[in-house]
């Protein structure tokens, strides 16, 4: 049986690496709230076990290519993502976030199959890519 999977990708800018990982991506479990990333991306909830985020001093396609091998299922979407990013102005961005979902016996983040991007513009976050694939 094949597993239907999806990846959604956002790019953005955050003040510092520490703030990005320790504040922007962290869930507020005490108040039962999604992370600031989740709020900005218009995600009511997501399974944080399926997220990968990288912070750089400056986001560059060449730098991303160096991390290709470290990313889950990259062989199914990474080249397409890089082609998409080549058409974007990355100069003011310093992070990239990948959120994975799947429909299987152990489904996770299946709402991503219906996700259409940000409902309103954001100063720090841009939705740039969505790809479905099967394994």
């Amino acid at each position: 049986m094949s597993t239907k999977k999806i990846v959604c990708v956002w790019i953005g800018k955050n003040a510092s690496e520490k703030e990005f990982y320790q504040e922007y991506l962290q869930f507020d479990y005490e108040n039962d709230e999604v992370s600031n990333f989740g709020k900005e991306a218009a995600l009511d909830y997501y399974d944080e076990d399926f997220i990968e985020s990288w912070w750089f001093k400056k986001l560059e396609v060449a730098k991303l290519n160096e991390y290709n091998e470290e990313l889950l299922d990259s062989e199914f979407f990474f080249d397409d993502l890089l082609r998409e990013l080549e058409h974007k102005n990355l100069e003011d961005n310093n992070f990239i976030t990948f959120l994975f979902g799947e429909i299987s016996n152990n489904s996770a983040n299946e709402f991503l199959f219906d996700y259409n991007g940000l409902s309103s513009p954001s100063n720090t976050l841009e939705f740039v890519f969505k790809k479905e694939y099967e394994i």
Side-chain angles (χ1 to χ4, degrees), residues 17-34:
E17 183 175 13
K18 181 180 176 185
E19 181 182 307
F20 178 65
Y21 288 113
Q22 294 181 2
E23 296 174 26
Y24 189 67
L25 293 175
Q26 293 299 312
F27 276 65
D28 181 357
Y29 293 109
E30 195 172 294
N31 295 309
D32 200 27
E33 289 185 9
V34 73

Side-chain angles (χ1 to χ4, degrees), residues 13 35 47 80-81 86-87 108 110:
K13 182 159 182 75
S35 67
D47 187 334
D80 293 335
L81 170 62
E86 286 174 355
H87 303 289
E110 57 271 10

Side-chain angles (χ1 to χ4, degrees), residues 4-108:
K4 190 172 182 182
K5 293 190 160 202
I6 190 166
V7 61
C8 289
V9 182
W10 295 261
I11 60 174
K13 182 159 182 75
N14 203 279
S16 72
E17 183 175 13
K18 181 180 176 185
E19 181 182 307
F20 178 65
Y21 288 113
Q22 294 181 2
E23 296 174 26
Y24 189 67
L25 293 175
Q26 293 299 312
F27 276 65
D28 181 357
Y29 293 109
E30 195 172 294
N31 295 309
D32 200 27
E33 289 185 9
V34 73
S35 67
N36 288 331
F37 160 76
K39 291 174 188 174
E40 262 196 291
L43 304 172
D44 294 330
Y45 172 80
Y46 60 91
D47 187 334
E48 64 183 321
D49 290 338
F50 293 87
I51 194 169
E52 179 79 24
S53 295
W54 303 334
W55 188 91
F56 302 91
K57 289 185 179 182
K58 182 178 176 186
L59 185 60
E60 299 171 349
V61 170
K63 193 71 163 166
L64 290 175
N65 211 18
E66 293 177 22
Y67 292 87
N68 179 3
E69 300 294 321
E70 297 178 27
L71 191 60
L72 176 73
D73 295 340
S74 63
E75 68 272 19
F76 295 100
F77 67 87
F78 206 77
D79 290 340
D80 293 335
L81 170 62
L82 292 181
R83 279 191 290 279
E84 181 68 29
L85 291 176
E86 286 174 355
H87 303 289
K88 299 280 183 191
N89 179 5
L90 301 180
E91 195 170 296
D92 292 332
N93 295 288
N94 61 9
F95 73 80
I96 187 164
T97 296
F98 305 84
L99 184 58
F100 296 89
E102 67 179 59
I103 297 174
S104 66
N105 291 339
N106 299 312
S107 292

Side-chain angles (χ1 to χ4, degrees), residues 121-133:
S122 168
N123 291 334
T124 59
L125 190 68
E126 179 183 357
F127 179 65
V128 293
F129 185 77
K130 176 178 172 179
K131 174 121 188 215
E132 295 181 28
Y133 54 98

